[in-house]
């Protein structure tokens, strides 16, 4: 039988000790201790608990402290930029390129561009699944193998990439310098294509070395020099030179449940990690340390995020 009273006293003692660490400006120690206390108090705050009312009060105090320590900014009223509710287009993906925002989905033939309150439709014979901003245009990928480039507002004719296997399915794409990187569904394999992409003499190239560990079931990737892969268990795998360098689990509050996507910050100094189920965007540096979090009820079921060039707006 759970000794509810003594466990609550233990939680309260941890909370008081954490407050002492805060007074001494030892924020990391306070943060870690409060996370422990929060996990402990959840059991005591359940509806079946005989001390539920007291536990809920302690839980609220711990949560207030953790919110401040984990640099959460609650965005209560984000500015509406554009509303597609009354259009025939349902955006599934968003990317910033040059001074515009581009929206697409695999079922809409073409791409939508907005700049301010101006909307432009750029037609194509097919829809797009993935996109990446490059120095030679906006790269748009259509399954299973078509690549198109948008340059100076004009969509150039598509060409076919050579696939490593006939049944290869790409689920994520990003760019770095003069290369495109694709994440293969299920295997965690990364395939690299170099510019010019239509000359496939030595392509495609499996980028991770053959005997190296792969993040099976990975769902997103980003390249900033190192290659970062978001695994199905919320771990971020960092590769360099085709070798696994590190594997990180974000130590943030609220505790991650279902991280969905990873993308680079404009300065390439860090990464943004999306968690639609908790309505937040987590900004971290390259070592996985927390920079800041943005949270909003409007971010629930978030599909994509894009940043302005100067990094001041998302």
């Amino acid at each position: 039988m759970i000794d509810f009273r003594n466990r609550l006293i233990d939680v309260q003692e941890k909370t008081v000790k954490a407050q002492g660490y805060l007074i001494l400006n030892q924020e990391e120690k306070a943060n870690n201790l409060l996370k422990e206390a929060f996990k402990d108090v959840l059991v005591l705050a359940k509806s079946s608990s005989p001390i539920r009312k007291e536990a809920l009060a302690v839980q609220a105090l711990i949560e207030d402290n953790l919110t401040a320590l984990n640099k959460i900014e609650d965005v209560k009223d984000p500015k509406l930029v554009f509303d597609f509710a009354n259009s025939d287009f349902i955006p599934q993906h968003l990317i910033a390129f040059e001074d515009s925002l581009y929206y697409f989905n695999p079922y809409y033939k073409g791409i939508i561009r907005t700049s301010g309150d101006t909307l432009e439709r750029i037609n194509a014979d097919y829809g797009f699944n993935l996109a990446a901003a490059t120095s030679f245009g906006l790269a748009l990928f259509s399954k299973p193998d078509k690549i198109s480039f948008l340059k100076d507002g004009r969509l150039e004719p598509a060409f076919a990439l050579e696939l490593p296997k006939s049944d290869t399915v790409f689920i994520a794409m990003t760019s770095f310098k003069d290369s495109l990187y694709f994440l293969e569904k299920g295997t965690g394999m990364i395939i690299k294509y170099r510019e010019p992409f239509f000359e496939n003499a030595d392509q495609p190239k499996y980028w991770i070395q053959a005997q190296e560990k792969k993040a099976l079931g990975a769902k997103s990737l980003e390249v900033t020099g190192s290659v970062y892969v978001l695994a199905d268990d919320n771990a971020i795998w960092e590769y360099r030179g085709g070798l696994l360098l590190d594997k990180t689990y974000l130590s943030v509050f609220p505790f991650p449940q279902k991280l969905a996507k990873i993308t680079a910050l404009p300065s390439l100094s860090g990464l943004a990690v999306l968690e639609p189920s908790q309505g937040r965007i987590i900004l971290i540096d390259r070592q996985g340390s927390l920079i800041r979090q943005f949270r909003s009820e409007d971010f629930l079921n978030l599909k994509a995020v894009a940043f302005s060039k100067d990094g001041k707006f998302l």
Side-chain angles (χ1 to χ4, degrees):
M1 182 177 176
I2 297 175
D3 186 346
F4 288 95
R5 180 61 57 184
N6 284 336
R7 289 185 66 170
L8 180 61
I9 291 171
D10 183 57
V11 169
Q12 290 170 326
E13 288 176 349
K14 286 182 179 179
T15 304
V16 171
K17 189 175 181 179
Q19 297 289 342
Y21 284 138
L22 288 175
I23 292 170
L24 297 172
N25 293 319
Q26 297 180 7
E27 292 190 352
E28 185 175 353
K29 286 185 176 180
N31 194 25
N32 290 335
L33 194 57
L34 286 167
K35 286 176 189 172
E36 285 182 27
F38 187 82
K39 289 178 181 177
D40 294 341
V41 82
L42 287 179
V43 176
L44 307 178
K46 288 183 176 179
S47 59
S48 57
S49 169
I51 55 169
R52 183 170 186 261
K53 187 175 180 180
E54 295 168 80
L56 285 171
V58 176
Q59 179 181 332
L61 174 63
I62 295 171
E63 195 161 355
D64 285 344
N65 281 281
L66 284 173
T67 297
L69 284 168
N70 286 268
K71 303 172 185 177
I72 299 171
E73 181 177 330
D74 284 309
V75 184
K76 299 191 181 301
D77 190 21
K79 179 183 176 182
L80 181 64
V81 176
F82 206 91
D83 190 354
F84 290 94
N86 297 318
S87 84
D88 60 350
F89 172 72
I90 301 174
Q92 290 189 10
H93 303 279
L94 162 71
I95 188 167
F97 181 65
E98 295 178 337
D99 296 321
S100 299
L101 294 172
Y102 293 86
Y103 315 79
F104 57 99
N105 77 46
Y107 309 106
Y108 176 83
K109 293 182 178 180
I111 188 167
I112 299 289
R113 171 184 175 269
T114 62
S115 182
D117 57 1
T118 302
L119 180 147
E120 177 188 0
R121 296 175 184 264
I122 302 170
N123 296 322
D125 294 331
Y126 35 81
F128 299 103
N129 301 91
L130 306 169
T134 75
S135 58
F136 29 83
L138 181 62
L140 295 157
F141 176 76
S142 183
K143 291 181 180 180
D145 60 2
K146 285 191 180 70
I147 279 281
S148 305
F149 280 92
L150 184 73
K151 297 181 181 179
D152 301 320
R154 187 174 67 88
L155 197 60
E156 297 190 342
F159 57 90
L161 290 174
E162 178 187 340
L163 297 178
K165 298 176 293 186
S166 61
D167 59 350
T168 294
V169 176
F170 293 142
I171 59 170
M173 174 178 77
T174 191
S175 68
F176 185 71
K177 293 186 176 179
D178 293 331
S179 297
L180 289 174
Y181 294 77
F182 290 86
L183 179 64
E184 186 177 62
K185 182 179 180 181
T187 66
M189 300 285 279
I190 296 170
I191 293 85
K192 177 181 177 181
Y193 294 87
R194 296 187 302 171
E195 164 71 4
F197 306 111
F198 49 83
E199 295 178 3
N200 294 311
D202 63 342
Q203 300 192 52
K205 178 183 178 182
Y206 281 112
W207 184 80
I208 302 176
Q209 295 191 20
Q211 302 305 315
E212 192 56 271
K213 291 182 179 179
K214 285 89 176 173
L216 301 179
K219 45 197 171 184
S220 183
L221 88 160
E222 186 55 271
V223 183
T224 64
S226 290
V227 173
Y228 297 91
V229 175
L230 178 60
D232 194 44
D233 65 350
N234 293 329
I236 298 174
W237 296 42
E238 180 184 358
Y239 293 90
R240 194 173 297 167
L243 297 173
L244 179 61
L245 182 67
D246 198 10
K247 186 162 69 168
T248 303
Y249 290 90
L250 297 187
S251 180
V252 296
F253 179 85
F255 305 118
Q257 296 175 2
K258 194 174 181 180
L259 303 180
K261 188 175 182 180
I262 188 167
T263 187
L265 298 178
S267 63
L268 298 181
S269 60
L271 302 162
V273 186
L274 278 61
E275 188 174 32
S277 62
Q278 297 203 66
R280 65 173 168 171
I281 301 162
I282 308 164
L283 308 187
I284 59 173
D285 64 21
R286 294 189 187 186
Q287 288 71 48
S289 297
L290 179 65
I291 298 173
R292 199 173 184 185
Q293 297 189 74
F294 295 100
R295 182 173 63 181
S296 174
E297 289 185 3
D298 293 293
F299 295 167
L300 293 170
N301 300 316
L302 188 69
K303 296 181 183 295
V305 64
F307 294 86
S308 60
K309 284 183 180 179
D310 59 12
K312 292 182 179 179
F313 300 94
L314 64 85

